[in-house]
Every structure is written in structure tokens, then in C-alpha cells.
Amino acid sequence: MGYTNGENFKFKAFLQEYTGKEIPKEATLRKGYVDDCYQDTLAKIRNCVSNNKIWVSIDEMTDVEGRFVANVIIGVLRTDGPGEIFLLNTEELEKANHQTIFKLFDKSMSILWPQGVHHDNVLLFLSDAAPYMVKSGKVIQALYSKMIHVTCIVHGFHCVAEEMKMTRAASKKAKDIFNNPNLKATLAFISSNYSFLSTYITRLEKQNMMLSESISVVKIVKEKLQSPQGKKEKATYKKLENVLSKNKGFEIIEQISNILEGIDNSMENLEDLNVSDLKFYKFAPVSSVDVERSFLRYKNLLANNRRSFIFENIRKILVIQCNSFG
């Protein structure tokens, strides 16, 4: 295949032939160029963000090496249109809990603003609804008082879909379900009453949506889930209500959207935000899908022939790959 000690000599020869340049060894590239490219990428992110308001999203996964890996995505909040989105940081965590997430959040903000963190410029934190993430949001808000913590609405809709499957399956084994003569009728019911859910999940996963549009999608889903009146169907709607009632940050951001749309003028529960802050929520996301997309890049980077990467190089290369500047 042309590989020796991790180097692809055929590819190297190809590059040299068509570029007319001497191609350094991979070790030389990692030691002499990766850090320069990484620092250049950070400088461009900092220049773009500058003193702007931002949102932050964090999620974690376990990689193929068994490491707890967390990615930190930031996005610029602009008033005249969607802002730029960047992967700011990737870290290996000793364990996933509210303390490690808080430390990661604060460290990442120090990477973004090395001369001094702009605490009041962080207006939104997006995460999943795991208890340790909810707890970390409360701890983070002690330092970032203007920040609203919203748990991902798409994750909430997935929980509703799981509830739907559980209520219809009634915890039976798969074999029993397929032998059930009422299966076709059950599938027809689900298709008729719940197939819309995947459509609206896809809509919420789109980038660059206005906050008012995202809020409208949630309202539509609520209305549609209220339509079926059976006992099990009411349980599905109750699940949605339960998910949304726990998402206190979403209630606040929905209130902000209503203010921006002229539907409401109450500033109750918004004591830490002033009028000039509210306009920056116009294109605020309610889904953490961007940070989940970054894990696809991570998995591609950590291919079978790249498993010997030290994590520091993984972190730098991933930041470089996920942020392209024209």
C-alpha cells in the first residue's frame, strides 16, 4: 500500500510531482506545522468573535479508545443575521460530571479571550438534558450571570418519540410485537398521528434559523400532539409537557422571542438582561446539533491508521479541520 512507519510514500511522491515542492515527513509536519496552524486558527476565531455576544454548546462522548471527549462549539450572536459558528476546543475529561463541564466551559472562554474573559458577552449555553449538564449550567451561571441555559429541544423531541414507542409497545418483546395481529393498525396509527415529528426535528436541526421560527416549530408540535385523545396518546403529550417544563431556559428564551416579535412586553425573569441584550437572541439556536456534527469529524480523524495520535495533536488538528477561513 506504500506505507512505512506510518508514512504513505506513494501519496508523498504524488504531491511532490504535482506541486514541485519537497514534502516533509509526517512527524515534521506534526511537530513544526500543526501548532502554527492551530494558533493561526485561534487567532482568526478571536478576531471574528472579538467583543461580540456569543452562544456556547458542549457535548461529550466516549471515543474508540474509551476516553471521555467533550467538544465546545461557539457561535456569534448577530442582530442582522446568523453569525459564524466555530469549534473552539476539544478536551479529554477524566469523567463526565458538572465539575468537569464547568472547568471545560471556563477554560474554553479563557482560550477565546486570553486577555480577560468577557463574562457578560456569553448569552446562551446549549446542552443535552443530562442531570450533570443541568447542574453545570447552574454553576456556570454564577459567573456568567447574563447566560441562559437551554437544553436541546431536539433531544426533548427524541424523548417524546421514545415515550411514544414505549406506550405503543407496552414493554413487550420484539417477537411478541411482530406476532401481534394489531401491529398493522398500531403502525398505521403512529404513521397517521406522529410521522410529522421527524419532519420538525429535521427543521430544528437546520442552521441559521431565526429564534421565532424555532419557537413556532415547537408550538406546532405541541398542537399536533394534543390532537389524539386516547389514554396512551395523552401520555405522549404529557411527556412533552414534562420535558418542556424542566427546560426553564427555553421558557425564558421563548419569552425573549415574544418580546422581539411584539407579542409580549414583560421583562419579568429577565433581571440580568438589559434591553440592548435582547436583540442578540434574534438568531439564537435551540438545538445542540452543531456540537454533535463536530463529533463526526472527530470520528473520521481517529481512523484505524491514526490511533497512535496523542490527544494534544487530535485537539489541534480537529480545531483546524472544523474551522475553515476563505
Side-chain angles (χ1 to χ4, degrees), residues 148 252-253 255-256 259 266-274 278:
I148 300 171
I252 296 174
I253 209 168
Q255 179 185 350
I256 292 173
I259 291 173
S266 171
M267 291 290 288
E268 187 180 358
N269 301 318
L270 303 177
E271 295 84 0
D272 293 314
L273 296 170
N274 55 47
L278 300 187

Side-chain angles (χ1 to χ4, degrees), residues 1-13 26 305:
M1 295 295 292
Y3 284 93
T4 303
N5 295 326
E7 290 197 64
N8 188 330
F9 286 100
K10 288 186 177 180
F11 185 58
K12 182 177 180 179
E26 291 182 16
N305 61 338

Side-chain angles (χ1 to χ4, degrees), residues 137-150:
K138 293 178 181 178
V139 176
I140 293 167
Q141 284 173 318
L143 283 179
Y144 301 80
S145 59
K146 290 180 179 287
M147 187 195 81
I148 300 171
H149 180 204
V150 175

